[in-house]
Amino acid sequence: MKKFVVTLTDEEREELRRMLASGKGAARKLIHARILLKANSSKAGPGWDDARIAEAQARKIVLVMDNLNTHSPASLYEAFAPAEAKRIADKLEIHYTPKHGSWLDMAEIELGILSRQCLDRRIENVEYLRTEVAAWEQQRNLAKAKVNWQFTTADARIKLRRLYPSI
């Protein structure tokens, strides 16, 4: 969906192309020129939507995820055509969290609790969602709720010994 409709004249389009070809100017100005050319809805422009422009601007997408067996670039080929899967995979910079003792596990636990205690119903709009989540968060903080994490440093040294240097 387009938030703003951009219609460039031939002169405006040429001026932006000259600016990009020279490569001179503030980085932010050059980025804006690229965006305007992609968003151009005139007959001469591609008229890309906001999501496609944002994706094109991203050099790399940094993705942090756990080591679940389906969390790999190979799963993209199951969901998309090969060319699209490769295009997406090339944009990803994947970092895997440790199999055991991951901070991501604690975040997933907390999000699961939020989902069960607060988001288990239809919520009409974003403003109401923000209000509900803020109230849930305040109650959770007042109760000093904690995740009972039982994976210790000693456990990590045993489970992850291949990651620790030998002395």
Side-chain angles (χ1 to χ4, degrees):
M1 186 172 108
K2 289 186 128 195
K3 187 171 182 179
F4 301 103
V5 176
V6 176
T7 307
L8 299 173
T9 64
D10 292 338
E11 295 81 26
E12 291 168 329
R13 199 171 43 261
E14 274 310 305
E15 183 181 340
L16 292 171
R17 285 188 179 137
R18 276 194 304 274
M19 182 191 317
L20 290 172
S22 75
K24 294 185 179 171
R28 183 171 293 202
K29 227 177 188 181
L30 296 174
I31 290 169
H32 287 168
R34 280 189 208 98
I35 291 170
L36 286 170
L37 286 169
K38 286 180 171 84
N40 183 15
S41 293
S42 71
K43 290 179 185 177
W48 287 8
D49 65 16
D50 296 350
R52 188 167 178 199
I53 292 170
E55 186 179 330
Q57 290 299 111
R59 302 277 189 269
K60 282 285 184 188
I61 298 168
V62 179
L63 182 61
V64 179
M65 59 185 172
D66 62 17
N67 280 291
L68 186 64
N69 62 348
T70 59
H71 293 172
S72 73
S75 62
L76 294 170
Y77 289 89
E78 294 174 20
F80 300 101
E84 179 70 0
K86 176 157 179 26
R87 186 186 68 73
I88 295 170
D90 288 345
K91 288 248 182 196
L92 297 177
E93 180 181 315
I94 299 174
H95 297 275
Y96 293 100
T97 59
K99 284 187 180 178
H100 304 284
S102 166
W103 62 267
L104 190 57
D105 290 339
M106 288 187 267
E108 288 174 335
I109 290 167
E110 198 67 16
L111 287 172
I113 295 168
L114 168 66
S115 180
R116 285 189 304 280
Q117 292 180 353
C118 181
L119 305 177
D120 58 346
R121 63 196 183 282
R122 187 178 186 321
I123 297 179
E124 296 285 327
N125 57 53
V126 175
E127 293 80 25
Y128 186 63
L129 173 67
R130 287 186 181 125
T131 303
E132 288 294 296
V133 170
W136 175 85
E137 180 183 9
Q138 184 178 24
Q139 177 208 8
R140 194 98 172 120
N141 289 339
L142 287 172
K144 295 185 181 356
K146 296 178 183 172
V147 173
N148 184 12
W149 195 248
Q150 298 177 2
F151 194 75
T152 66
T153 303
D155 293 334
R157 287 202 164 91
I158 293 166
K159 292 269 189 190
L160 305 171
R161 67 181 166 270
R162 70 189 187 318
L163 300 176
Y164 286 89
S166 298
I167 299 177

